[in-house]
Amino acid sequence: QVQLVESGGGLVQPGGSLRLSCAASVRISNIYRMSWYRQAPGQERELVAFITSAGSPNYADSVKDRVTISRDNAKNTVYLQMNSLKSEDTAVYYCKARNMFYGMDYWGKGTLVTVSS
């Protein structure tokens, strides 16, 4: 069983920055694609970014140029650096690990990001 624990959320003013972390209970190198999703109140969960096991990042158009996803396989941790935050970025941010070999997904419990003045 893979456990994921997100951290780094909080209250930030518009234009500010946050770095989210997702710590995994297993080695994430080689076989896990790691993703960040978010879910705003009353809205469906949406993909923010993912990074392949080879380290290639991909971003949703809504956040492209403002976020950077990275992974530290030695620490079994994935990060999401978010800059120039807007009120519409307010959401619970979830980490997901996909085992590319077995096709299984694991989710964290989320961390709340609130962008407000």
Side-chain angles (χ1 to χ4, degrees):
Q1 184 73 10
V2 178
Q3 293 183 332
L4 303 171
V5 179
E6 301 97 334
S7 61
L11 175 64
V12 62
Q13 292 186 342
S17 299
L18 279 178
R19 188 176 83 153
L20 307 183
S21 300
C22 170
S25 61
V26 298
R27 289 183 62 182
I28 63 170
S29 58
N30 300 326
I31 63 171
Y32 284 93
R33 172 181 291 185
M34 304 299 296
S35 305
W36 285 97
Y37 284 75
R38 68 185 181 186
Q39 187 167 19
Q43 305 215 1
E44 295 187 354
R45 194 172 296 189
E46 63 175 359
L47 176 67
V48 176
F50 70 86
I51 186 166
T52 68
S53 57
S56 177
N58 292 267
Y59 302 99
D61 288 341
S62 60
V63 300
K64 199 183 309 182
D65 300 326
R66 297 192 297 119
V67 306
T68 302
I69 188 171
S70 60
R71 61 193 293 161
D72 185 338
N73 289 339
K75 295 183 178 180
N76 298 320
T77 300
V78 177
Y79 304 98
L80 186 71
Q81 175 68 43
M82 303 190 293
N83 302 319
S84 302
L85 285 162
K86 306 174 182 179
S87 58
E88 51 261 45
D89 295 316
T90 294
V92 178
Y93 284 72
Y94 297 91
C95 178
K96 186 184 86 172
R98 167 165 286 189
N99 185 309
M100 302 302 290
F101 188 78
Y102 292 110
M104 295 182 66
D105 291 337
Y106 305 89
W107 291 89
K109 294 183 178 180
T111 185
L112 176 63
V113 172
T114 303
V115 184
S116 175
S117 56

